[in-house]
Amino acid sequence: MPPPSSAAVAPLQILLNLINETLSSLLLSSLAVKSFVGRWQVLHSKLTSLHSSIAEISDSPHWAENPLLHTLLPNLLSTLQRLKALSDQCADSSFSGGKLLMQSDLDMASASLSNQLADLDLLLRSGVLHQSNAIVLSHPGPGTGKEDLGFFIRDLFTRLQIGGVEFKKKALESLFQLLNEDEKSPSLVAREGNVGYLIHLLDFNHNHPSVREQAAFAVSVLAAANDEARKCVFEEGGLGPLLRILETGSTVLKEKAAIAVEAITADPENAWAVSAYGGVSILIEACRSGSPATQTHAVGAIRNVANVEDIKMTLGEEGAVPVLLQVLVSGVSASQEKAASCVAFLASSGEYFRALIIQERGLQRLMHLMQDISSSDTLEHVLRSIISLSSSDHTARILSSSTIFVIQLGELIKRGNMILQQLSASLVAYLSISDGNKRAIGSCMGSLVKLMESPKPVGLQESAAQALVSLLAVRSNRKELVRDEKSMMRIVHMLDPRNEAVAKTFPVMVVAAIAGGGSHGCRKRLLASGVHPHLQKLSEMEVTGAKKALQRLVGNRLKTIFSRTWRE
């Protein structure tokens, strides 16, 4: 922005001269009044402060460039002229006018003067009068230094606090643009800007709708930007106004408020405050009736606050469970994932929530959802929910008897990521699956053997081994596994005492399950694969189960040889 012309500066200088003349006269006349002396003493103190502020403005090198003074100075002169007229009326001790009316006029003029003093103080403290508008008002580019960026931010917030609606709107547009374009700006705004005032602009009662909407956009970006900015929004009291917007705002405002609330509650130290503002019911309603975007972030906020014990119980009491289950069925992908995470957490937290979920037919919804979702993250949460619910005998029987569900577990063991494989394997190991269903998923045994070789994630080897032992209870599965040369090579390698990557208990369990089935053909293939010397060594090392597995393998073999010799 180019510096103002001399023609533009001249009216401001004239205004400043008039203010100084009127102020000097008032400072004298306010001491000489005969009526309402107490009020005039207060006014004199304010006028003295104003005199200092005006002097400081005059000494600022770039005061005439600031457009806010084009509004501030005329309003200030008008207030001073009104006070001069009132001081003339109060100069006579025998004031004959309406006393109540004069008191009211003095109080209103005093309030106006206080507001204008506050605006001038803010303008002076911001430092922008010492910086050329050519620098301050040009939008910062990618290489702008922190000092210039700080001046720009302080100028924006000065305009927000002092300027009218148009000043506020333009300042908010620039602020929003800055927050979106410069990743370092949110932290600087938190430090240099007046975030508390920005949050004040969210108030429905005192601000223009477009100003409130732009302020909500800016607060949303700030809250979601980083820890420092989020902490600033919370500490400046942002959570309450954001929850009110989420409850009663327009669709666009609700979406922005939901983003901010989810971000704020991601910090456990902030999440507790939701209940203080009555926010639990607001979040549940936003999940029930909000737009897809609002619903997604409201569900995320519910998942965040569920970590707070008192709020978690309130979620159950106020009906969050049926709403979350409905989002699981009908929500968009992002809201489904967050709802699945929340349901999984609640299901794992105790019998109270497991009962609520089952009561709302949550198990059936979760089982059905497994057929439709493609997101591995959502599927992981669904499986964790089902695992928690399976602690009930009734639920476990439902899961065990569902052929479709068991086949899905087998497919996940073969094709899922490692987390899904582990969760599916743990369910196969835990459930009392029928022999027919075990045969139906026999093709996943090779994948289970492969999983037994993986040291991570923790518990994967054990889950895979236990699931495999469960499937090997079926004769046809035992025959199928010993015919799988790759799987047998893996088992032999895992049994090798020199292989320290696998706990020997697990492959020993598998060999024992195969050898204990009574099939001579299976034992013969085990021996042919080379398990005997490793098993013998492990028995000598007193590895748990090795001696019993060796007896099943070799003892039965000797018994067979003896019976053949006797027949001969």
Side-chain angles (χ1 to χ4, degrees), residues 497-554:
R498 294 168 297 181
N499 178 7
E500 298 179 354
V502 181
K504 301 308 170 197
T505 308
F506 304 136
V508 165
M509 288 167 52
V510 173
V511 172
I514 298 172
S519 168
H520 173 65
C522 289
R523 290 193 299 276
K524 184 177 179 180
R525 285 182 177 272
L526 279 173
L527 288 165
S529 67
V531 302
H532 180 265
H534 292 328
L535 203 56
Q536 191 168 29
K537 180 66 175 175
L538 294 176
S539 179
E540 294 170 2
M541 295 167 61
E542 298 185 350
V543 171
T544 303
K547 186 175 181 180
K548 185 176 181 180
L550 187 64
Q551 288 174 343
R552 286 182 175 182
L553 181 65
V554 181

Side-chain angles (χ1 to χ4, degrees), residues 377-398:
D377 289 334
T378 304
L379 195 51
E380 176 189 333
H381 298 311
V382 168
L383 280 174
R384 291 190 188 280
S385 300
I386 290 173
I387 288 172
S388 295
L389 297 177
S390 69
S391 61
S392 157
D393 291 341
H394 175 68
T395 301
R397 285 194 296 272
I398 293 174

Side-chain angles (χ1 to χ4, degrees), residues 473-490:
V474 177
R475 182 181 180 184
S476 61
N477 284 348
R478 293 194 296 272
K479 288 184 175 182
E480 181 181 340
L481 183 61
V482 296
R483 286 196 292 264
D484 182 350
E485 293 183 5
K486 286 186 178 179
S487 292
M488 294 310 299
M489 288 175 61
R490 292 181 187 278

